[in-house]
Amino acid sequence: MFMSGQIKRVLITGGTGSIGRQLTKALLQQGYEVSLLSRKPGNDPLVRTFTWNVNAGHIDENCIEGVDAVIHLAGAGIADKKWTEQRKKELTDSRTNSIALIYHLLKTRPNQVKRIISATAVGYYGNRADEILSEQSAAGEGFMSECCIAWERAIDKGKTLGLPIVKFRTGVMLDKNTGALPQMALPVKLFAGAPLGNGKQWIPWIHHTDVIGMYLFALENETLEGVFNMVAPEPATNKQLTKAIAKQLRRPVWPFNVPAFVLNLLLGEMSIIVLGSTRASAEKIKSAGYIFKHPVLSEALKDIYG
Ligand SMILES: NC(=O)c1ccc[n+]([C@@H]2O[C@H](COP(=O)([O-])OP(=O)(O)OC[C@H]3O[C@@H](n4cnc5c(N)ncnc54)[C@H](OP(=O)(O)O)[C@@H]3O)[C@@H](O)[C@H]2O)c1
């Protein structure tokens, strides 16, 4: 891989998170300069950290100086806390008001930003059974869809600044140490692995290397623009994924499922995260020329658990 001629310095919001940490490392390895926008000062000598307070509308105005591209990853953790009305507002505002602060800066200060790349989520589509979901598909219903619609609208306001925008509707990133996989693997490791609900819901998984690969691809391809599903080419059902994890970890899977009502009782509205079905298609990013490093689930898990 090589750097785009145009883009040398990248500012990442929420760059301390699970995607941001890996992305920062990969960008530094490729020779990019990286700076972060964070709620707290950083201590990595290789990256400069600027601070902001999204709720208070404060942003260190110097963060934009010399920056060629902004990658927007910031947002309160979707599955970290119960979805009260206040939490839902926090989940949305931390994604929309944050990018609005950056756009305000771009309007009011001289800058050389050429590109905005942002995370959004496959939660945009909601719970859609077996429907194959392309980027053209309509949004779904429920809080996650509403949050993603607001998030994408806020990102699209950058178009009024004449900036090309790439949005990645991110699926379930598989990583050994963070996110959904350790939570799915724990019961399996404890010999208590079982599919959730009816186990037929589609999980739009993606290997963490391909998440990072697509962000690099979006930086390197000046013509890439628009919304793309960030998912592997072959989604798996919850049952298939549970079985594949168990096979990799050499553990059994129980022949019965965890009933949906138990998960509804435990998680309330958030149960959609584990029970919702999203069969998102990777065709658009493939057609744009992205080559997956880990397109096959069994091989992706083998790589992760090594
Ligand atoms: N990982 C996945 O599987 C996945 C799937 C779908 C979508 N996404 C989206 O992709 C983005 C990055 O994912 P990730 O897994 O790296 O997320 P993450 O680990 O939760 O990190 C997000 C970062 O956002 C910042 N943040 C948290 N709360 C905030 C708040 N209230 N206001 C402003 N900033 C806040 C934090 O950075 P500081 O502490 O430095 O401020 C945090 O490190 C997120 O928007 C996420 O929703 C991820």
Side-chain angles (χ1 to χ4, degrees), residues 22 174 206-214 290 293-294 303:
Q22 297 184 45
L174 298 186
I206 179 161
H207 188 288
H208 61 93
T209 305
D210 281 315
V211 169
I212 304 309
M214 278 189 213
Y290 181 74
K293 287 154 196 83
H294 300 285
D303 176 80

Side-chain angles (χ1 to χ4, degrees), residues 179-202:
L181 187 58
Q183 294 190 32
M184 291 190 78
L186 183 65
V188 174
K189 282 182 183 166
L190 298 174
F191 293 87
L196 306 179
N198 66 15
K200 291 180 184 164
Q201 66 275 36
W202 291 96

Side-chain angles (χ1 to χ4, degrees), residues 13-21 37-40 52 54-55 72-78 80 87 90 94-95 98 119-122 151 168-174 179-180 215:
T13 76
T16 59
S18 43
I19 295 178
R21 283 194 305 273
L37 249 181
S38 172
R39 292 165 301 164
K40 49 203 181 288
W52 62 353
V54 176
N55 287 338
H72 180 48
L73 303 177
I78 296 286
D80 286 0
R87 180 64 179 168
E90 197 179 347
S94 58
R95 292 171 165 78
S98 48
T120 150
V122 291
W151 192 357
F168 284 122
R169 287 186 186 146
T170 315
V172 176
M173 181 173 84
L174 298 186
Y215 278 108

Side-chain angles (χ1 to χ4, degrees), residues 232-245:
E234 288 176 25
T237 63
N238 174 273
K239 190 174 181 178
Q240 288 166 341
L241 182 54
T242 309
K243 279 189 165 176
I245 295 169

Side-chain angles (χ1 to χ4, degrees), residues 10-287:
V10 180
L11 174 69
I12 310 178
T13 76
T16 59
S18 43
I19 295 178
R21 283 194 305 273
Q22 297 184 45
L23 183 57
T24 299
K25 202 171 152 196
L27 288 172
L28 291 173
Q29 275 168 3
Q30 301 285 327
Y32 289 93
E33 283 176 48
V34 180
S35 46
L36 309 181
L37 249 181
S38 172
R39 292 165 301 164
K40 49 203 181 288
N43 54 12
D44 182 343
L46 296 177
V47 294
R48 188 152 174 213
T49 299
F50 298 90
T51 55
W52 62 353
N53 180 331
V54 176
N55 287 338
H58 166 78
I59 183 166
D60 182 338
E61 299 198 346
N62 297 315
C63 68
I64 216 71
E65 216 169 278
V67 167
D68 300 306
V70 177
I71 300 186
H72 180 48
L73 303 177
I78 296 286
D80 286 0
K81 288 185 193 167
K82 208 156 184 193
W83 288 354
T84 59
E85 288 311 307
Q86 194 193 340
R87 180 64 179 168
K88 286 183 190 174
K89 185 167 165 15
E90 197 179 347
L91 291 172
T92 306
D93 288 355
S94 58
R95 292 171 165 78
T96 55
N97 294 350
S98 48
I99 193 68
L101 277 178
I102 291 179
Y103 287 159
H104 180 70
L105 212 52
L106 295 181
K107 270 187 207 145
T108 52
R109 277 185 67 114
N111 67 82
Q112 59 183 57
V113 172
K114 299 165 191 71
R115 224 168 162 65
I116 304 287
I117 303 168
S118 178
T120 150
V122 291
Y124 177 89
Y125 301 112
N127 185 8
R128 303 284 276 269
D130 291 335
E131 187 180 345
I132 296 176
L133 298 160
S134 80
E135 292 78 353
Q136 301 285 325
S137 302
E141 287 171 3
F143 168 68
M144 263 324 294
S145 303
E146 287 161 19
C147 177
C148 290
I149 292 168
W151 192 357
E152 294 190 12
R153 270 198 197 131
I155 301 299
D156 282 342
K157 290 197 174 141
K159 287 182 191 164
T160 61
L161 296 164
L163 290 169
I165 291 173
V166 177
K167 291 169 288 180
F168 284 122
R169 287 186 186 146
T170 315
V172 176
M173 181 173 84
L174 298 186
D175 190 345
K176 193 172 179 180
N177 302 313
T178 59
L181 187 58
Q183 294 190 32
M184 291 190 78
L186 183 65
V188 174
K189 282 182 183 166
L190 298 174
F191 293 87
L196 306 179
N198 66 15
K200 291 180 184 164
Q201 66 275 36
W202 291 96
I203 311 291
W205 66 275
I206 179 161
H207 188 288
H208 61 93
T209 305
D210 281 315
V211 169
I212 304 309
M214 278 189 213
Y215 278 108
L216 291 173
F217 185 72
L219 283 174
E220 285 151 10
N221 287 274
E222 283 151 30
T223 53
L224 197 78
E225 211 175 322
V227 65
F228 296 88
N229 291 337
M230 184 179 252
V231 298
E234 288 176 25
T237 63
N238 174 273
K239 190 174 181 178
Q240 288 166 341
L241 182 54
T242 309
K243 279 189 165 176
I245 295 169
K247 191 171 176 203
Q248 187 57 42
L249 297 174
R250 297 195 180 83
R251 292 286 195 279
V253 174
W254 286 93
F256 50 80
N257 297 9
V258 180
F261 79 88
V262 173
L263 294 159
N264 282 326
L265 275 176
L266 281 172
L267 300 169
E269 196 180 350
M270 268 173 72
S271 62
I272 193 73
I273 294 176
V274 288
L275 293 174
S277 183
T278 313
R279 193 177 187 181
S281 158
E283 278 313 309
K284 189 176 174 195
I285 193 72
K286 271 170 63 182
S287 303

